[in-house]
Amino acid sequence: GDSVTQTEGPVTVSESESLIINCTYSATSIAYPNLFWYVRYPGEGLQLLLKVITAGQKGSSRGFEATYNKETTSFHLQKASVQESDSAVYYCALGDPTNAYKVIFGKGTHLHVLP
Amino acid sequence: EAGVTQSPRYAVLQEGQAVSFWCDPISGHDTLYWYQQPRDQGPQLLVYFRDEAVIDNSQLPSDRFSAVRPKGTNSTLKIQSAKQGDTATYLCASSFGERLFFGHGTKLSVL
């Protein structure tokens, strides 16, 4: 079936350190999946961080980057230097553009950034 | 622009009681989704609509859960006879395209 697997948390890093949260997907019924990272900051609702809808392309937002790699079925989230304000729960997600954009989420990775 | 609005924010029930969740999507968004998010899990799709039509409700426990979107705008998700295993946050999202916009959710506790 279609699924998303991501780094299990919590992940704790210190401010200014680099970060990578791994995400791999299985899209057995989706020919051209769209890939997303969503984030939930403390006290806020879930919101889109970045998206990539074409294999091989990179998405970026707020200093975060992720490259859609169709060969390895991966969409890892990276940031060169995290800030305390990046503390949040990050969700990798897989979308089907031909099926009313049905979106499947991973379990989420809780990130703690220490000052 | 107003976001996705959900109510109530919290609900506490005894097993066997019924509860309804209400969602007002962003105006103009044709697709509406209901997700169930158990504690420490990702959102799991229950049902989604395009306009008033159900596109997929295969993950909805149909014996106790129901969802409607009669005019293609607001939607209601109902649990007929709640069980402890239904304890979760229920999220509504809407979209017009690939990006989902979420409400704050309804946190349900079934005792």
Side-chain angles (χ1 to χ4, degrees), chain B residues 50-83:
Chain B
R50 172 162 276 167
D51 298 319
E52 68 276 7
V54 173
I55 303 299
D56 186 347
N57 62 359
S58 61
Q59 301 305 308
L60 201 62
S62 58
D63 58 335
R64 297 185 299 110
F65 285 63
S66 62
V68 294
R69 193 186 184 200
K71 296 182 180 179
T73 52
N74 299 338
S75 178
T76 303
L77 175 69
K78 183 174 183 178
I79 305 176
Q80 197 71 17
S81 177
K83 297 183 178 180

Side-chain angles (χ1 to χ4, degrees), chain B residues 4-9 22-24 34 90-92 103-106:
Chain B
V4 176
T5 305
Q6 289 187 247
S7 65
R9 291 295 297 271
W22 180 80
C23 175
D24 185 6
W34 283 102
Y90 291 82
L91 298 170
C92 177
H104 279 84
T106 297

Side-chain angles (χ1 to χ4, degrees), chain A residues 38 51 91 99-101 103 106, chain B residues 33 35 37 42 48 97-98 100:
Chain A
Y38 281 82
K51 67 178 182 184
Y91 297 89
N99 193 4
Y101 294 102
V103 180
Chain B
Y33 311 76
Y35 284 87
Q37 185 171 18
Y48 63 112
E98 75 276 7
L100 269 62

Side-chain angles (χ1 to χ4, degrees), chain A residues 2-4 25-36 52-56 68-70 73 75 93-98 101-102, chain B residues 98:
Chain A
D2 304 319
S3 65
V4 174
Y25 67 89
S26 170
T28 55
S29 70
I30 306 171
Y32 301 100
N34 296 168
L35 295 176
F36 310 90
V52 178
I53 62 175
T54 304
Y68 182 162
N69 189 321
K70 193 170 182 180
T73 62
F75 192 54
L94 171 70
D96 184 352
T98 66
Y101 294 102
K102 175 180 176 179
Chain B
E98 75 276 7

